[in-house]
Amino acid sequence: MKTIIRLAFAMMLAFSAFSCEEAKIPVDQEPEKEVLNENIKFTLEVAEVGATSAKINIKHDGTADDVWYGFVTTKEDVTEALSEKYEELMSASKLTGLKKKTSYTDNLTGLEPETEYTYIAFGISMSGTLYGKAASISFTTGKDATKLEETDMWAISYDGRKDNQGTESEVFTIKCEEGLTYYFTTVSAILLESNKLEVVDYVKYVIEQEVPELIAYGYKYSDIFISESYTLASYRMESGDYYALAIGFDTKGNSTGYYSVKPFTIEEEVAEEAYNQWLGTWELTDATGKYGFEITIHHYDNNFKYAVTGWECGSHMSTDFTDALGTQIAFAVDYVDGKVGFPETGITYLSASASSTKEELYFGLWGWGDIIYNGNTYESVLCGFPGAIMALAEAQDGSTGVITGQHVVDSGYDITYKAMSYAGIAIVDGVQSTYWNEPMSFPVTMTRKSEAAMQRAAVPAVVKHDLKAKKTALVMRMNRQVR
């Protein structure tokens, strides 16, 4: 925003517009002769401007005995505005609002958004005599950020999936004028649909929750905002329909109320033979030979992800909760160069309503292992690094495989995974219960029991596309990175 400073006029010219009254002085008292600083000079600066407020810094080169007054107006004619303000002051029973400070910040509130204002400061004695030169400065208030508006300020393009230093990534280009600060993100159409949201609702969510959470967990504005045309690569995303968003902010993290949106589609790939070999039901047995269960690996996104059912914290979670939900609980695992990658999933959120209860579930797949950090070793602890591949399943032939723990270095943490476990928190009518599977020690043996149908699994969609799940996962990821 450009600020225009105008030393509008000499008070000598302004005096002709005023009909000044002499202050009434008792007849038995000799009036003191006023000593006025006719050469006083005011310097004004717009320190901050919002949609409904502004801060104006006022300084003058006189002394603390010099009295002055400042006000804000929407009038374009400074002389007219000053004349009206003077008449208003002199018509009152006593002069109020006068100041003697040589340096002062006037905090203006109750302004109208997107409106041009002028702030005027002028010398006036305690008896109402004008003196010196007035000064004025103009500014325009910002847009009301609560009224979001889609614009073409940012031109967004999805450039497809490309190799980025050995990693498959989705590439986007955002073009804009220099200095237009924005936050870039994407959202899937299925997330919006499942939460009954419009794009503008998600923009509001990002402004009110996602960005503040990033800042709360230690990120600086310069880390998350961009102020120029930019090409960036994100992690590989699931196939489906999406919206790419550039959301306007100022450099202090305040929403400008503007955003640009670009719909795009990521097409699903043709399944590789190595991807299909894992589809089906498997019996898992841990390294001790004492603990095991069955899982079914479903197709979810060719050559990228599977949906897994059958491991839901035992019969408590798989029966009680899924009866109310009306479907099985599923979690996603990754396809990694012909292998199945088991990532730590963090906490995912579900909700369901039965005839007489309201149920919520927070659950995730967790890793256990040894962690080295800052020279200290912590053995057999819950790791909690959402997204880290804690175990890989490698096929030994068409009917068997083995899951082995991985060694991961992440944000200064050196992790050796030794076991994995499914965990969940169920809340039924406000009563919370925690469920854990016994951690399965690596290596875990996999034995095929049956083939699976080759259709895309619908079960994990309920789990994976919940706004609260996205929010919680974001908080946990930020917490891991800054702790």
Side-chain angles (χ1 to χ4, degrees):
M1 179 183 302
K2 294 183 177 178
T3 301
I4 305 170
I5 301 179
R6 302 188 302 242
L7 290 176
F9 54 87
M11 290 297 293
M12 293 291 291
L13 298 177
F15 288 160
S16 63
F18 306 141
S19 56
C20 301
E21 296 182 9
E22 292 293 331
K24 296 180 179 180
I25 303 173
V27 294
D28 57 346
Q29 180 179 336
E30 284 293 325
E32 293 184 11
K33 186 176 181 180
E34 292 183 317
V35 180
L36 304 177
N37 182 2
E38 296 292 349
N39 296 318
I40 191 170
K41 180 180 179 181
F42 292 92
T43 302
L44 309 182
E45 176 193 25
V46 178
E48 188 175 309
V49 178
T52 60
S53 63
K55 290 184 179 181
I56 309 297
N57 291 334
I58 306 103
K59 293 182 180 180
H60 67 72
D61 60 359
T63 70
D65 293 328
D66 293 321
V67 184
W68 60 275
Y69 187 85
F71 69 101
V72 68
T73 179
T74 56
K75 287 185 174 296
E76 295 182 3
D77 189 316
V78 176
T79 302
E80 180 184 351
L82 182 54
S83 176
E84 290 183 3
K85 177 56 67 173
Y86 181 77
E87 291 178 5
E88 177 187 325
L89 290 171
M90 297 305 295
S91 65
S93 58
K94 63 180 293 187
L95 286 173
T96 59
L98 304 186
K99 299 174 179 64
K100 281 191 172 184
K101 296 182 177 181
T102 60
S103 179
Y104 182 77
T105 297
D106 204 343
N107 294 300
L108 308 175
T109 59
L111 306 179
E112 291 295 322
E114 299 180 272
T115 303
E116 184 174 355
Y117 286 91
T118 299
Y119 189 91
I120 303 172
F122 60 94
I124 179 171
S125 72
M126 298 299 292
S127 65
T129 302
L130 296 171
Y131 68 94
K133 290 184 178 181
S136 66
I137 189 170
S138 295
F139 62 92
T140 301
T141 50
K143 176 180 171 59
D144 184 352
T146 62
K147 298 178 180 179
L148 298 172
E149 180 180 342
E150 182 179 343
T151 73
D152 59 359
M153 291 180 177
W154 299 275
I156 308 170
S157 64
Y158 170 59
D159 302 332
R161 182 173 296 154
K162 299 181 180 180
D163 180 84
N164 179 36
Q165 298 180 348
T167 302
E168 285 187 312
S169 304
E170 314 300 343
V171 179
F172 302 87
T173 298
I174 305 95
K175 294 183 178 180
C176 66
E177 293 183 9
E178 188 80 15
L180 274 179
T181 303
Y182 61 96
Y183 176 82
F184 180 81
T185 189
T186 61
V187 59
S188 67
I190 193 171
L191 185 149
L192 298 180
E193 182 181 345
S194 62
N195 287 275
K196 299 180 179 179
L197 298 175
E198 300 294 333
V199 170
V200 68
D201 299 319
Y202 187 75
V203 172
K204 186 176 181 181
Y205 160 80
V206 171
I207 293 169
E208 295 179 354
Q209 298 189 52
E210 185 166 305
V211 167
E213 283 166 1
L214 288 169
I215 299 303
Y217 281 97
Y219 280 76
K220 299 177 182 178
Y221 295 128
S222 58
D223 295 330
I224 61 175
F225 293 149
I226 307 170
S227 299
E228 59 185 349
S229 295
Y230 206 79
T231 296
L232 55 86
S234 74
Y235 293 113
R236 176 173 173 173
M237 298 160 61
E238 295 177 10
S239 58
D241 296 326
Y242 290 86
Y243 298 93
L245 300 165
I247 303 172
F249 285 84
D250 63 23
T251 55
K252 296 183 178 180
N254 301 306
S255 166
T256 63
Y258 296 108
Y259 69 95
S260 297
V261 57
K262 172 67 176 179
F264 67 99
T265 299
I266 299 177
E267 300 292 342
E268 185 173 16
E269 297 179 356
V270 176
E272 299 174 355
E273 183 178 350
Y275 175 87
N276 287 334
Q277 74 173 340
W278 290 103
L279 302 175
T281 300
W282 300 78
E283 184 178 76
L284 274 60
T285 306
D286 79 343
T288 66
K290 298 178 180 179
Y291 181 63
F293 55 90
E294 290 183 4
I295 64 169
T296 299
I297 300 178
H298 306 264
H299 156 254
Y300 186 66
D301 196 349
N302 284 340
N303 309 330
F304 186 38
K305 289 190 180 292
Y306 300 97
V308 177
T309 58
W311 187 12
E312 297 110 1
C313 300
S315 60
H316 305 288
M317 204 67 78
S318 60
T319 302
D320 298 343
F321 193 86
T322 55
D323 284 349
L325 187 64
T327 185
Q328 287 180 289
I329 301 170
F331 64 94
V333 297
D334 298 337
Y335 173 72
V336 184
D337 297 328
K339 304 173 185 178
V340 176
F342 290 83
E344 288 203 77
T345 59
I347 294 293
T348 307
Y349 170 81
L350 282 171
S351 63
S353 296
S355 57
S356 60
T357 64
K358 176 173 176 56
E359 304 188 18
E360 295 181 349
L361 170 65
Y362 300 81
F363 76 113
L365 184 63
W366 297 94
W368 298 79
D370 298 339
I371 297 178
I372 301 174
Y373 181 66
N374 282 342
N376 299 312
T377 300
Y378 307 89
E379 296 184 351
S380 301
V381 294
L382 181 64
C383 297
F385 285 77
I389 300 296
M390 59 183 170
L392 282 174
E394 187 168 3
Q396 294 179 323
D397 53 44
S399 60
T400 61
V402 62
I403 305 173
T404 55
Q406 298 298 293
H407 176 245
V408 175
V409 176
D410 189 309
S411 304
Y413 293 80
D414 189 298
I415 312 152
T416 300
Y417 285 99
K418 292 184 173 181
M420 61 182 179
S421 176
Y422 207 101
I425 300 172
I427 303 173
V428 180
D429 287 340
V431 179
Q432 178 175 306
S433 300
T434 302
Y435 302 105
W436 290 85
N437 280 122
E438 187 72 22
M440 297 195 70
S441 300
F442 301 129
V444 175
T445 301
M446 299 179 67
T447 305
R448 180 185 293 280
K449 297 196 69 176
S450 66
E451 300 288 339
M454 295 288 197
Q455 72 270 13
R456 186 180 178 106
V459 272
V462 181
V463 174
K464 293 168 62 56
H465 301 290
D466 187 280
L467 192 60
K468 195 167 183 178
K470 183 181 188 297
K471 172 185 174 182
T472 309
L474 175 74
V475 173
M476 294 190 67
R477 186 173 73 250
M478 295 306 105
N479 185 49
R480 170 176 60 82
Q481 292 182 343
V482 301
R483 67 183 178 185

